[in-house]
Amino acid sequence: MALVPYDENLLPALSKLHQTSAEFHLANHKIRLSQDWNRLGVAAVVWDAAVVLCMFLEMGKVDLKGTKVIELGAGTGLVGIVAALLGANVTITDRQPALEFLAANVRENVPPGQQGAVRVSELTWGENLHLYPTGSFDLILGADIVYLEETFPALLQTLEHLSSEKTVVLLSCRIRYERDERFLMELRQRFAVQEVHYDSQRDIHIYRAVKNKTNTEL
């Protein structure tokens, strides 16, 4: 779990990250999420990439009703919660230190009648992937998870393991550095990737990826 030093006086634009909660109206619900930068750092605040991905899902570009969805590096859980409110069966994942915080946000924002469609589960990229059988999910979601270069190999391994040739991956991110472009280049070696949405106001890209078909005729 990355804990990034932060000086509110030096970065006033990021002062919202120190707020203890964030509120949204998405999927016809008022969503109020707890935030805890001081304890969990980047994992416990809502980033623009998550909001943009939720808005994209709200637009109906993906039919979520009855689909099996997994969110990677969920943090506050906003994206997974919205997917569940839109009718998906969702597994919301992150590393162990964030799970209690994540589960509390799910309990507070998913109606009792839909709680059974949401599972909070530990997933550290590249580890114990056998617990998540290949091809078990129709859709993989990730918001602002492309930012630490040392995690890229494990993230690529995890995406490849979870995906069948029918699984759709949606990654929402801001392209900040050359290393982010390199990640996309690596992803394109294993997946067919296309940009499906760009939010110019927030400078957020959404990429759709589908695993390349295996040539079984060789």
Side-chain angles (χ1 to χ4, degrees):
M1 197 65 59
L3 296 176
V4 180
Y6 166 65
D7 184 336
E8 188 171 351
N9 294 320
L10 294 176
L11 298 172
L14 298 182
S15 61
K16 64 181 181 179
L17 302 181
H18 269 239
Q19 296 174 1
T20 58
S21 65
E23 292 190 3
F24 306 91
H25 193 275
L26 294 162
N28 294 318
H29 286 75
K30 181 179 179 180
I31 299 172
R32 186 176 188 275
L33 299 173
S34 296
Q35 299 191 131
D36 194 346
W37 174 281
N38 291 330
R39 186 165 67 92
L40 293 170
V42 298
V45 294
V46 178
W47 298 93
D48 284 345
V51 177
V52 172
L53 183 52
C54 289
M55 293 168 64
F56 181 79
L57 295 177
E58 260 196 322
M59 291 163 62
K61 300 292 187 180
V62 182
D63 184 8
L64 291 170
K65 291 185 178 179
T67 59
K68 296 187 69 175
V69 176
I70 185 167
E71 183 187 4
L72 304 180
T76 62
L78 178 62
V79 174
I81 289 168
V82 168
L85 293 174
L86 291 171
N89 295 295
V90 188
T91 299
I92 306 179
T93 71
D94 211 319
R95 296 174 62 188
Q96 181 62 43
L99 291 188
E100 181 180 349
F101 168 83
L102 175 56
N105 274 336
V106 170
R107 286 194 301 271
E108 288 296 317
N109 290 283
V110 177
Q114 291 178 269
Q115 291 275 342
V118 185
R119 180 170 74 104
V120 173
S121 182
E122 179 184 3
L123 176 54
T124 299
W125 303 336
E127 298 181 13
N128 296 317
L129 295 180
H130 64 278
L131 299 176
Y132 299 87
T134 297
S136 296
F137 300 97
D138 304 302
L139 179 65
I140 300 170
L141 300 172
D144 220 352
I145 60 175
V146 179
Y147 66 96
L148 286 177
E149 190 166 18
E150 58 265 34
T151 68
F152 290 174
L155 175 54
L156 287 166
Q157 179 189 359
T158 301
L159 290 173
E160 193 165 27
H161 171 83
L162 292 173
S163 297
S164 70
E165 293 173 358
K166 296 181 179 179
T167 304
V168 172
V169 180
L170 290 177
L171 296 177
S172 178
C173 55
R174 178 176 286 125
I175 303 301
R176 301 176 177 88
Y177 308 107
E178 287 186 14
R179 63 174 182 256
D180 303 334
E181 293 284 4
R182 288 196 296 271
F183 173 84
L184 291 174
M185 290 177 60
E186 289 283 336
L187 185 65
R188 287 188 173 100
Q189 292 181 17
R190 314 175 195 195
F191 290 78
V193 181
Q194 63 179 131
E195 184 174 332
V196 292
H197 183 71
Y198 177 64
D199 186 311
S200 59
Q201 180 180 353
R202 299 175 178 85
D203 189 26
I204 299 294
H205 305 258
I206 297 179
Y207 297 95
R208 180 185 188 272
V210 178
K211 196 174 186 179
N212 292 329
K213 291 185 177 181
T214 304
N215 191 339
T216 58
E217 298 178 359
L218 296 178

